[in-house]
Amino acid sequence: MERKRMGVARGVTAAIVLMLVGQQAVAAELAQAASEAGAPVTEWPSPWQIRLRALGVITEDSGYVNTVPGSGLSYSDTVTPELDISYFFTDNIAAELILGTTYANIEGQGAIGGLGNIGKVWLLPPTLTLQYHFTDFGAFKPYVGAGVNYTIFYNQDAGSADALKVKNTFGTALQVGFDYMVDQHWGVNFDVKKLFLKPDFDVTVDGAKLTGKAALDPWLIGAGVTYRF
């Protein structure tokens, strides 16, 4: 009886091995036939993607100095390179982190217009967004996103002010854009983000210490290349 069971077990094992080998052989033959016929071989894409963009930073000219009625602020617009890294959780859902740095000249307006250039600050605004990618349009792949931003202000130089300190702050972001994929890996990208960014600042003018709010709220308009690993 034991020999019979062992024989049955060996037979079943041999049958399973033959089935697996047979399936692999059939799959290999089908892949070879598709290749010979010129049919495209579909590979599961990597979840990682990077983009390199030229980014225009267009700020809102708004803000004020507390206790100075009629005061206003304006800021310079810039163009800067920007890198973003995306990770796709599914074909539709991805997270994107953008990295770039730029500067802003701060000018007095209204009641403080006579101050001219109050100072210059550099800012690093890493922004993380969660995106939804539409996949029903072939090579054209539009997306929308929303997320958070934390802006770090550094290399702050006072101009007409005696001292200037713009404070690091959190903000929110909205996003819309598209990739147009030339092939499986390469594409071109156009992207627009709106950051809601209103940092507080301290400023000293003629020995008087004042506070205020800089309502930057920049538009980030970018165009560049996409690479999907």
Side-chain angles (χ1 to χ4, degrees):
M1 188 69 171
E2 186 65 27
R3 285 184 190 174
K4 186 174 181 181
R5 288 179 180 173
M6 289 293 294
V8 171
R10 286 175 186 154
V12 171
T13 302
I16 292 173
V17 170
L18 288 173
M19 287 175 62
L20 292 173
V21 171
Q23 288 177 347
Q24 291 178 351
V26 170
E29 290 176 1
L30 289 174
Q32 182 178 359
S35 177
E36 292 174 355
V41 178
T42 303
E43 297 180 6
W44 190 259
S46 165
W48 292 101
Q49 178 177 278
I50 61 172
R51 299 187 186 94
L52 182 63
R53 303 187 183 105
L55 191 70
V57 181
I58 304 172
T59 57
E60 299 281 341
D61 290 331
S62 182
Y64 54 86
V65 176
N66 294 323
T67 72
V68 181
S71 60
L73 299 171
S74 66
Y75 320 95
S76 58
D77 300 329
T78 58
V79 177
T80 187
E82 177 259 322
L83 172 71
D84 84 51
I85 303 169
S86 298
Y87 184 86
F88 283 77
F89 301 100
T90 70
D91 287 344
N92 300 105
I93 305 298
E96 177 194 82
L97 175 66
I98 72 165
L99 300 170
T101 188
T102 188
Y103 67 88
N105 284 305
I106 304 172
E107 304 284 336
Q109 298 290 320
I112 59 172
L115 293 176
N117 180 263
I118 296 172
K120 177 181 178 179
V121 298
W122 282 82
L123 54 150
L124 177 67
T127 302
L128 180 66
T129 59
L130 185 66
Q131 303 170 330
Y132 184 86
H133 290 251
F134 300 90
T135 57
D136 300 327
F137 304 99
F140 178 66
K141 301 183 182 299
Y143 57 85
V144 295
V148 294
N149 160 269
Y150 184 73
T151 299
I152 300 167
F153 296 91
Y154 65 100
N155 284 359
Q156 304 191 43
D157 298 318
S160 59
D162 301 324
L164 174 67
K165 175 63 176 179
V166 183
K167 299 178 181 180
N168 301 343
T169 188
F170 282 98
T172 56
L174 297 176
Q175 176 184 35
V176 63
F178 69 85
D179 293 299
Y180 187 87
M181 301 306 295
V182 178
D183 59 27
Q184 183 180 359
H185 297 290
W186 290 97
V188 294
N189 174 261
F190 181 77
D191 183 272
V192 177
K193 293 183 182 69
K194 176 66 172 179
L195 302 187
F196 298 92
L197 185 63
K198 296 179 173 65
D200 295 321
F201 65 85
D202 298 330
V203 63
T204 302
V205 180
D206 293 333
K209 295 183 179 180
L210 303 168
T211 61
K213 188 175 290 290
L216 297 168
D217 291 343
W219 289 93
L220 308 182
I221 302 174
V225 294
T226 298
Y227 184 80
R228 181 76 179 264
F229 290 93

